[in-house]
Amino acid sequence: MARLTPANEERARQLIALYPHHRSALIPILHILQGQDGYLSEDGMKHVGELLGLSAAEVRGTATFYDMFHVEPVGKYVVAVCTNIACMLQGAYELLEAAQDQLGIAPGGTTADGMFTLEDAECLALCGNAPCATVNWRFFGDLDPQRFAQLTEDLRAGRLDAEVPPHGTLSRVDRNVGLGAPGQSVHGAGGPPPPVDVAAAAGGPHDAGIELATSLTMTAVIAHEGGRGLDHTGTRTDAPGGTDSQDQR
Amino acid sequence: MSVTDAPRIVTRRLGTPRSWTLETYLADGGYQGLRKALTMTPEEIHEQVNTANILGRGGAGFEAGRKWGMLAKPTPVYLTINGDESEPATFKDHMLIEGDPHQLIEGALICAYAIGADQVFLFVRGEFPLGIERLQAALNEAYAYGAVGKDIFASGWSIDVVVHPGAGAYICGEETALLESLEGKRGYPRIKPPFFPAVVGLYGAPTIVNNVETVSNLPWVMLNGGDAFAALGEGRSKGTKLLALAGHVNRPGNYELEFAKVSFRDLIFDPSLGAGIRDGGELKAFIPGGASSPWLGPEHLDVLLANEKIAEVGTMAGSGSVVPMDHTTCMVRAAWRIVRFFHRESCGQCTPCREGGGWLEKILQRIENGQGRESDLDLLMDVCDNISPGVRWPPAQTTICVLGPSMPPPVASGIRMFRDEYLAHIRDGRCPFPPDRLPGKLASV
Ligand SMILES: Cc1cc2nc3c(=O)[nH]c(=O)nc-3n(C[C@H](O)[C@H](O)[C@H](O)COP(=O)(O)O)c2cc1C
Ligand code: SF4
Ligand code: FES
């Protein structure tokens, strides 16, 4: 499939300028490529290699070390169910079995309609809301088979489009300072940051998520249905007596 | 009441609306610690940090000040913040990155100034897109505010900070693997010596790697002084510690508690903390300090939460993750899941880790599935011994990093504490707990 679009190639060049050595930008650029196509295509990886002076094999060899990168197309939604210890203790394997039955695929598989890819994941650092899963790396805690069915139904119906961007999208906030001056950021030179309008910093094509209030609420709603009242960061939001888990006294 | 009235240092703003914005941060003294630091010399800051005796919060518990003192002098010098948090049942840095990114940035800047760094990299686990977005947005704000970039707060000191996403590999939390990954390579740990980051780190240059929670303490230390920090806790363990409590408790979550004043019993049972075992169950055992720590039983509930106190009973505080398991828990299955994790995440460079992990996983699986043999317990211990000779604590290391030696402790401590349970699996040809075997579709490794 595709090489980086001109806009994404520009983002890649800006990333390269941030690092003392070009190759350090490889993984951040691969995230941009995966955000563009949903996976890492051969042409795309070749293009990234050209930008960094690396062979396609070097790019691929690095990419395949990392679990987040897919070199084959995946479903629209990659659903990763954590089965690690804290989640297992709270029924993660029952959840994964239900997910398999509901979707009709085993971990690693993709549904025939290309909607879902299922993964048997390691700890997602959301253990206070076990068992949990991520969809395109957005968090959903306190799941059970029933809530999982609801989640996939909502995804199919497009009801979570605002919270769950297409697979591969990492950060919707780009760096907006110190760009466009190769080498300037190196060794502390910093370069005079161009004047930044903080209000404007919240806009722009990649900044849809700067507040992510919706995502937070949505995740929290799903968490709250479980009645355990921890939001997706593990912070208690509706604890008995109105305290939160940080408020120990 | 055993929970002390120590101030909350790193979690104080969490829960405030929009705690991740500059506005909220500034309203609560944000960047005052950095402003103060910039009026001091790097040596003076280093002294305060030595006085505070901040133990590294990433798992190894090495004093931050001592580490900074080991920095080799040739320039450039780099600072890398380790936000790769992927240790099973550890979810504290995740919360700090999402909930208070400015505190992390300010802490990193104070550290960078003290060690004379030329550039800062904030390495964040790739699976935390919300954290990455909030951290990048906060960094953009901090640049605009003049806290990062050129001539910070008109002090004449300049530095650049870069948010760097990982891409999914537990091993990249190990500091030398993290540096390889930051160089755009596969995350293979480097051999120490010579590759101690403080001497030969990023691009071969001296590099300090500190954990997110470690540096998040620095703004408070700057404002209140190293003495005030050291007044909390006891012995080597000063200040507060963020504990990630998960598993069979009524109130899982992150709790910031004064070091050495609170016991495991308090953490698990205090109504304001863990609030006891779910469904009124009984505590069978608990994982005291991350997946690689040897387990403890109810007889150890009164051990105080302090690195050296926990070490005294033959285990470790590690990353601060505590996982209580109730009486319905199958200890074979628990050990199997932890070993499976380490085996999956092994980078494959060292034979004992790569092969031994597979052996342990398969043997535990067949015991759990009722196909174990009498000789399997000895075989497990033998494999453990091959991974980490002597199967002692702290573990001996024959591998490049300590991921390999992380596998024997849960197996060996489980066998020591629950030998009868292992034997029952083998004798009865089935697991005594429901469901009585690993879920069918998942049993194949
Ligand atoms: C396999 C492995 C995984 C690790 N994962 C992390 C991690 O996710 N976060 C972290 O801060 N330290 C992790 N560490 C510890 C780091 O190597 C290093 O000691 C730490 O980042 C230093 O920071 P500190 O001194 O502030 O704790 C890991 C170590 C090993 C061996
Ligand atoms: S011990 Fe395991 S993870 Fe560590 S370097 Fe060796 S093979 Fe890799
Ligand atoms: S064990 Fe499942 S999120 Fe940590």
Side-chain angles (χ1 to χ4, degrees), chain A residues 18-19 23-24 31 61 66-67 83 89 101 120 122-123 125 172 175 188 211-212 232-233 245-246, chain B residues 8 18 94 98 118-119 125 130 133 160-161 164 166 168 182 185-186 203 248 254-255 337 344 441:
Chain A
L18 296 176
Y19 296 92
R23 186 166 176 160
S24 285
H31 277 301
Y66 296 95
D67 290 344
T83 57
L89 294 174
D101 290 342
D120 170 0
E122 295 300 347
C123 177
R172 290 166 292 176
R175 183 181 169 109
E211 265 202 51
L212 293 171
H232 74 305
T233 62
S245 64
Q246 292 308 322
Chain B
R8 274 158 53 186
R18 294 165 49 82
H94 189 190
E98 287 185 356
D118 292 276
Q119 197 171 6
R125 181 174 174 188
L130 178 63
E133 286 175 336
D160 180 48
V161 178
H164 183 95
L182 187 47
K185 301 172 191 157
R186 297 180 145 231
Y203 316 121
H248 291 152
N254 286 308
Y255 298 95
R337 189 59 188 84
R344 265 176 127 180
K441 290 170 203 157

Side-chain angles (χ1 to χ4, degrees), chain A residues 137-201:
Chain A
W137 305 113
R138 272 64 188 178
F139 288 93
F140 295 90
D142 297 320
L143 292 172
D144 58 22
Q146 205 184 336
R147 246 173 270 132
F148 186 84
Q150 182 66 47
L151 172 61
T152 49
E153 193 191 306
D154 286 347
L155 287 163
R156 266 188 219 281
R159 284 193 287 270
L160 292 171
D161 283 356
E163 291 79 17
V164 182
H167 179 252
T169 308
L170 190 68
S171 177
R172 290 166 292 176
V173 182
D174 273 358
R175 183 181 169 109
N176 65 5
V177 283
L179 297 175
Q184 265 199 351
S185 63
V186 180
H187 301 172
V196 177
D197 176 349
V198 181

Side-chain angles (χ1 to χ4, degrees), chain B residues 58 132-133 140 238:
Chain B
I132 292 169
E133 286 175 336
N140 289 348
K238 304 295 197 190

